[in-house]
Amino acid sequence: MKLGMVGLPNVGKSTLFNAITNAGAQSANYPFCTIEPNVGMVSVPDARLEKLAEIYNPDKFTPAVIEFVDIAGLVKGASKGEGLGNKFLSNIREVDAVVHVVRCFESTDIIHVEGSVDPLRDIETINLELILSDIEIAQRRLDKATKALKGDKSMQSEVDFLKRLISHLEEGLPARSVEITSDTEKEVLETTSLLSAKPVIYACNMSEDDFRNGIDSNPGYNAVKEAAAKENAEILPICAALESELAGLEADEKTMFLEDLGLERSGLDRMIQKCYSLLGLISYLTAGKPEVRAWTIERGTKAPQAAGKIHTDFERGFIRAEVIAYDDFMACGGNMVTAKEKGLVRSEGKEYVMNDGDIVLFRFNV
């Protein structure tokens, strides 16, 4: 999974990126500090995997990973090449989902590029640049589809949808909020490669006081929450400064720090959970002495395709999957022999749809 972190200059984007990846990206109080995208790999926290590691004491421990890309700050006119616009747009095109960092805190020490803090204005600035770029792309596809329609009447539904999509974009609305009424329309949207169609999490960068006083006391956060609901986006309250403090703490200290704020998990953990939910992802697990590992797949993936994540030979020569739910395994004291005696280890075929937390051993022959 590849996530692109975007936002206007000086909203705390690179500070947040540094905190969650410990990649040491430069952070400074002026626009375009980030020119080339910084990249950081983050392990996905999974208590189930850690428990399996305690049981098997494996030679290798491999959690799922997420790639975060810190993309250069954007300004008005990016769709026309202003600032670092062209670079911004090409970088965002390559990610699976967007973490849009929005400033919801006041500070006289950190200059806002627009001179004042207004989360909805900032969201509109970036969304508009993405939408303007998308209108050009959608129009080119419409022109091509209209020409094809002369010799192929089956193209009519695509032409009709593209016209409706362009009208939707011209109203300043992102492609992800357009109504989809058929599989054809869904396919057209997915294959047009529109920037504003990408799943989005609005990361509301708030102050530590906001978390102590209750996040709903922040009017900017409430405004973004309402806007996100209208465009099929997720919202995540987070404090970049707080995440920076957490990044330097030991596990026990981190737990105490979070409890003091009334939080169960760090912003990073909550962000990863939101991303998995937004992209429809789950993890299945493989466990043994050689390696304990988590594998990320799309919800609804069948066993052979899940096996193919490990190696293409596993999918090509798939015979069956020996599966046990993680909770069932732990209920047997983490003992596979006991689990088999109780009939909890199932033999599943090619039509089996994987579940989150399945512990699997694939049988194959090539």
Side-chain angles (χ1 to χ4, degrees):
M1 178 163 40
K2 190 174 185 179
L3 303 177
M5 297 183 68
V6 306
L8 291 176
N10 298 346
V11 296
K13 177 173 57 68
S14 292
T15 300
L16 182 58
F17 172 83
N18 290 348
I20 63 179
T21 65
N22 289 317
Q26 187 184 8
S27 176
N29 184 21
Y30 54 90
F32 308 135
C33 173
T34 309
I35 298 176
E36 294 299 329
N38 295 290
V39 177
M41 305 297 288
V42 175
S43 297
V44 175
D46 193 332
R48 300 169 304 187
L49 205 65
E50 292 171 10
K51 283 287 186 184
L52 291 175
E54 290 176 13
I55 292 166
Y56 287 98
N57 190 25
D59 299 329
K60 192 175 180 183
F61 177 82
T62 313
V65 295
I66 292 179
E67 182 178 342
F68 281 94
V69 183
D70 178 23
I71 298 172
L74 176 144
V75 293
K76 288 179 182 177
S79 60
K80 303 299 180 186
E82 291 294 325
L84 299 167
N86 292 331
K87 190 176 289 289
F88 174 94
L89 296 174
S90 64
N91 288 332
I92 199 173
R93 207 174 295 281
E94 297 169 2
V95 302
D96 299 310
V98 175
V99 177
H100 183 162
V101 183
V102 186
R103 179 168 167 176
C104 294
F105 68 91
E106 297 284 350
S107 172
T108 54
D109 297 327
I110 303 173
I111 303 162
H112 191 289
V113 71
E114 294 286 353
S116 62
V117 175
D118 184 340
L120 293 185
R121 177 202 59 208
D122 294 355
I123 287 173
E124 185 178 343
T125 296
I126 285 191
N127 279 351
L128 182 59
E129 296 306 325
L130 302 184
I131 287 167
L132 289 172
S133 174
D134 284 349
I135 290 172
E136 290 185 21
I137 293 168
Q139 187 62 55
R140 285 201 295 268
R141 176 150 183 177
L142 174 60
D143 293 343
K144 189 180 293 185
T146 303
K147 288 179 183 177
L149 179 62
K150 295 175 182 177
D152 183 0
K153 297 304 178 186
S154 68
M155 294 294 292
Q156 187 65 57
S157 57
E158 180 172 330
V159 168
D160 292 343
F161 173 65
L162 285 168
K163 287 180 178 178
R164 181 160 62 84
L165 173 62
I166 291 170
S167 296
H168 182 84
L169 293 168
E170 287 175 340
E171 290 177 19
L173 302 170
R176 63 181 163 273
S177 65
V178 72
E179 184 183 3
I180 300 294
T181 61
S182 69
D183 289 341
T184 299
E185 292 181 357
K186 182 181 178 184
E187 183 181 357
V188 171
L189 183 63
E190 288 176 350
T191 56
T192 308
S193 188
L194 301 179
L195 297 172
S196 69
K198 290 185 180 292
V200 167
I201 294 174
Y202 289 116
C204 293
N205 189 12
M206 301 158 71
S207 70
E208 191 172 323
D209 285 342
D210 287 324
F211 279 87
R212 294 189 185 281
N213 300 332
I215 56 175
D216 289 332
S217 63
N218 184 306
Y221 168 73
N222 291 323
V224 176
K225 189 176 181 179
E226 188 176 328
K230 293 178 181 177
E231 60 170 79
N232 300 327
E234 289 277 359
I235 186 167
L236 175 74
I238 200 165
C239 174
L242 186 61
E243 295 300 314
S244 292
E245 290 183 56
L246 284 170
L249 299 179
E250 297 295 330
D252 291 345
E253 295 175 313
K254 190 178 294 186
T255 301
M256 290 175 61
F257 195 92
L258 289 170
E259 286 176 352
D260 184 49
L261 290 169
L263 299 172
E264 293 182 4
R265 290 170 298 168
S266 70
L268 172 60
D269 290 358
R270 289 182 286 115
M271 183 186 295
I272 289 173
Q273 184 185 41
K274 290 272 187 184
C275 291
Y276 265 66
S277 173
L278 194 64
L279 294 172
L281 301 176
I282 61 173
S283 292
Y284 74 86
L285 314 169
T286 53
K289 177 59 179 171
E291 183 179 29
V292 166
R293 181 164 182 165
W295 304 85
T296 302
I297 55 174
E298 290 184 8
R299 188 176 297 280
T301 299
K302 293 182 177 179
Q305 288 69 51
K309 290 285 289 185
I310 299 175
H311 197 285
T312 52
D313 284 351
F314 281 36
E315 180 177 358
R316 187 159 53 91
F318 179 87
I319 299 173
R320 68 180 187 277
E322 294 179 6
V323 184
I324 181 171
Y326 171 81
D327 289 342
D328 288 343
F329 180 66
M330 295 309 295
C332 294
N335 189 307
M336 195 62 76
V337 173
T338 303
K340 287 179 178 178
E341 288 173 352
K342 290 186 176 183
L344 296 172
V345 180
R346 311 183 308 275
S347 181
E348 301 287 1
K350 293 182 178 180
E351 294 304 309
Y352 176 69
V353 177
M354 303 292 292
N355 290 306
D356 186 47
D358 277 347
I359 301 173
V360 192
L361 174 64
F362 291 109
R363 301 293 185 185
F364 70 103
N365 183 34
V366 290

